[in-house]
Amino acid sequence: MKYFINTMGCKLNENDSEKIAGMLVEMGYEEASAPQDANIVVFNTCCIRENAEEKLFGKLGELKNIKAKNNMIICVGGCMSQEQHVVDKIKQSYNFVDVIFGTHNLHKLPEMIEQRIEENKKQIDVWDIDGIVVENLPIKRTSEKNALVTIMYGCNNFCSYCIVPYTRGRERSRKPEDILSEIKKLAADGYKEIMLLGQNVNSYNGGEGYNFANLLRDIDKIEGIDIVRFMSPHPKDFTDDVIDAIAESKSVCKVIHLPLQSGSSNVLKLMNRKYTKEHYLNLVDKIRAKVPDVYFTTDIIVGFPGETEEDFEETLDVVRKVDFEQVFMFIYSVRKGTAAEKMDGHIPEEIKSERFNRLKELADSMTTESIKKYVGTVQKVLVEGESKTNSDVLTGRTRSNRIVNFIGDRSLIGKEIDIEITSEHAWYLKGNVVID
Ligand code: 5AD
Ligand code: SF4
């Protein structure tokens, strides 16, 4: 018997899918390479932006005709199933879906599947209340190199555009000892790189004053873990203590994802982000002063209701000033039930996409330009393999995701080594192995 999981959305969902896979393996299922070969298909959905719904319904439609062939059980979970209108639509138009579960009762999936088989009855169970933190679920990790570790669930911020607080509930942090023992086990299993996950990692609260900075310091002491990444922090909660912990740590990666969303203080206020343009720029300066070799990446939404041309120019101004390594850009998309849905001044689609294109042009040109600053530096490079165009050359990536080509022995593949960057070539860097 086989299973197939279709994961949409963010790393938190990916980590949830690894737990779903772990539970299905424990039930005796094996992974299928395609949905049509599976007896159980699970959709772990995302609803952060609009287009995801059509995608889910399209994929469900595709399975309708092959369902009978494999006696297939179709399950829908994740953020979308926390939305009543999606559950209603599935019940009405996709009646062949067998199990609907929510984000708070993921651990109940095996039970629901068993009941579906035994009673031959559709199972729908979505909890409104905030879930408890369930530890020790089995897990089948997707990557053998880097492991995802969720440290907190939910979000209390209610940014006015965002659906997450409605689908994931209020903030709940895992206990420090549970997180640390998971990471120690990962180190013992040979993992070198971990990514700490949460909707707002720097409001992690481990109890009795134990905060995100404490957690970073304790993780840094774990032997064998060389790279610690985290996402996403909120600029309003980025304390000096966290900056110090990053600066002091050997393992915390000096590439920080710091979501900006907008560069206009007016729009930030409407977004309920609780910081201003100046606060964001000061924070970047403060981090740069304490962590000299730091790089930033960001998320930006264009076309938020009420965004004027001047507001948009402020966003471009921040992008110019900060010099991001990478900008993840999103066109504002209305989410049912959020505060922004009811705001005045929704922006016409053509203006949104015109602004998106202007931002993209600027961000792309900045990225090309900022590659120059690598020349002369020594970078930690994870060696991926031989270059596609020349087998004498090895290729790898910096911690900030830039491609580096260099001459080296094939035995270096899979290792992270120091490379001195000697030149830049628009989209990649060249360098030499540092021999110590
Ligand atoms: N419309 C567009 N982008 C959004 N994001 C969150 N909600 C919306 C929305 N309604 C973006 C934010 C967030 C990223 C994960 O998705 O930039 O940081
Ligand atoms: Fe959404 Fe804001 Fe919470 Fe991030 S911090 S999940 S954008 S509400």
Side-chain angles (χ1 to χ4, degrees):
M1 299 289 268
K2 292 193 168 169
Y3 73 86
F4 185 85
I5 304 174
N6 186 315
T7 309
M8 304 169 179
C10 67
K11 297 265 175 210
L12 281 146
N13 258 17
E14 278 177 34
N15 195 210
D16 280 350
S17 286
E18 293 181 330
K19 291 172 195 164
I20 295 173
M23 292 188 284
L24 293 172
V25 168
E26 205 158 77
M27 289 173 81
Y29 289 85
E30 279 170 33
E31 190 174 9
S33 51
Q36 54 271 24
D37 303 329
N39 310 93
I40 292 188
V41 176
V42 182
F43 289 92
N44 190 8
T45 62
C46 164
C47 56
I48 195 103
R49 283 171 295 274
E50 213 156 28
N51 50 7
E53 260 173 48
E54 276 85 74
K55 236 193 248 167
L56 172 71
F57 294 132
K59 290 209 185 295
L60 283 177
E62 282 167 24
L63 289 187
K64 186 176 179 184
N65 294 331
I66 49 173
K67 180 180 156 82
K69 193 182 103 208
N70 287 3
N71 205 5
M72 188 188 279
I73 294 178
I74 301 177
C75 312
V76 178
C79 286
M80 249 190 242
S81 51
Q82 293 292 141
E83 294 187 294
Q84 193 55 46
H85 75 271
V86 175
V87 175
D88 291 344
K89 179 149 182 190
I90 293 177
K91 282 203 258 179
Q92 259 172 25
S93 313
Y94 301 87
N95 198 25
F96 55 89
V97 169
D98 301 277
V99 176
I100 303 180
F101 63 105
T103 57
H104 303 301
N105 61 342
L106 180 103
H107 57 287
K108 293 279 182 195
L109 183 61
E111 228 172 275
M112 292 173 81
I113 292 174
E114 268 160 23
Q115 270 169 357
R116 164 69 187 81
I117 296 169
E118 275 163 27
E119 298 166 16
N120 199 19
K121 242 177 43 203
K122 199 186 285 295
Q123 303 289 317
I124 301 179
D125 192 13
V126 177
W127 300 357
D128 270 343
I129 49 144
D130 296 344
I132 28 152
V133 175
V134 181
E135 291 293 343
N136 300 320
L137 285 182
I139 186 156
K140 183 177 180 299
R141 297 192 184 269
T142 348
S143 161
E144 284 166 15
K145 291 202 183 99
N146 39 52
L148 304 174
V149 179
T150 301
I151 62 166
M152 59 174 307
Y153 301 87
C155 181
N156 290 352
N157 289 317
F158 289 92
C159 299
S160 59
Y161 50 81
C162 186
I163 194 76
V164 168
Y166 305 91
T167 60
R168 292 267 170 182
R170 297 296 70 72
E171 287 174 5
R172 284 104 53 207
S173 293
R174 289 175 69 195
K175 291 200 192 98
E177 55 270 30
D178 290 331
I179 298 172
L180 294 169
S181 73
E182 179 177 352
I183 298 173
K184 280 179 196 154
K185 186 167 179 303
L186 287 168
D189 289 345
Y191 282 90
K192 300 256 174 277
E193 179 171 342
I194 55 165
M195 180 176 265
L196 307 176
L197 300 176
Q199 300 297 345
N200 183 4
V201 284
N202 46 10
S203 61
Y204 171 79
N205 176 1
E208 292 164 22
Y210 189 99
N211 60 22
F212 187 54
N214 298 119
L215 186 65
L216 289 179
R217 290 193 172 99
D218 282 343
I219 294 171
D220 197 43
K221 290 179 204 141
I222 298 176
E223 203 67 36
I225 299 294
D226 296 337
I227 310 179
V228 178
R229 298 179 193 263
F230 55 86
M231 81 187 276
S232 291
H234 193 302
K236 80 173 165 61
D237 298 318
F238 218 115
T239 60
D240 289 354
D241 199 16
V242 170
I243 302 176
D244 290 338
I246 296 170
E248 290 156 22
S249 136
K250 294 186 301 301
S251 58
V252 177
C253 180
K254 309 298 189 264
V255 184
I256 299 180
H257 184 65
L258 193 63
L260 168 68
Q261 312 301 2
S262 168
S264 150
S265 297
N266 295 335
V267 173
L268 287 168
K269 190 147 201 257
L270 291 171
M271 286 178 162
N272 193 29
R273 290 290 287 175
K274 301 193 181 80
Y275 56 85
T276 59
K277 175 186 183 185
E278 290 67 37
H279 172 96
Y280 187 93
L281 289 172
N282 284 338
L283 177 62
V284 165
D285 285 347
K286 203 154 64 168
I287 300 174
R288 282 207 162 120
K290 286 194 176 167
V291 190
D293 44 356
V294 70
Y295 298 96
F296 290 99
T297 60
T298 201
D299 289 347
I300 294 177
I301 299 176
V302 298
F304 185 80
E307 183 189 71
T308 61
E309 175 60 24
E310 290 72 39
D311 292 321
F312 177 63
E313 295 280 345
E314 299 277 341
T315 299
L316 299 180
D317 186 48
V318 177
V319 171
R320 277 188 210 103
K321 287 196 165 115
V322 176
D323 189 11
F324 293 107
E325 272 299 297
Q326 215 172 340
V327 179
F328 298 92
M329 289 163 260
F330 307 102
I331 291 182
Y332 169 72
S333 124
V334 184
R335 302 289 63 211
K336 268 201 189 106
T338 60
E341 183 197 5
K342 293 154 211 96
M343 283 181 186
D344 295 333
H346 282 259
I347 309 285
E349 288 307 319
E350 62 274 17
I351 298 187
K352 283 195 214 170
S353 51
E354 182 255 340
R355 287 185 188 159
F356 181 89
N357 292 339
R358 278 162 65 199
L359 174 62
K360 186 168 183 319
E361 210 170 289
L362 174 66
D364 287 352
S365 71
M366 301 279 307
T367 315
T368 318
E369 194 54 26
S370 72
I371 200 167
K372 293 189 177 137
K373 65 178 181 278
Y374 284 83
V375 177
T377 64
V378 173
Q379 297 286 323
K380 298 228 170 283
V381 172
L382 183 64
V383 187
E384 290 179 344
E386 286 171 3
S387 152
K388 281 197 191 86
T389 46
N390 182 351
S391 61
D392 292 337
V393 172
L394 294 180
T395 183
R397 275 174 201 272
T398 64
R399 287 185 176 186
S400 54
N401 214 25
R402 297 279 190 176
I403 296 170
V404 183
N405 289 345
F406 60 96
I407 308 278
D409 193 84
R410 294 197 77 247
S411 63
L412 296 173
I413 294 172
K415 293 189 180 140
E416 193 181 49
I417 56 168
D418 284 337
I419 300 273
E420 183 178 7
I421 306 300
T422 50
S423 57
E424 50 85 16
H425 303 262
W427 56 272
Y428 72 96
L429 297 159
K430 271 190 189 170
N432 296 324
V433 180
V434 174
I435 301 166
D436 45 22

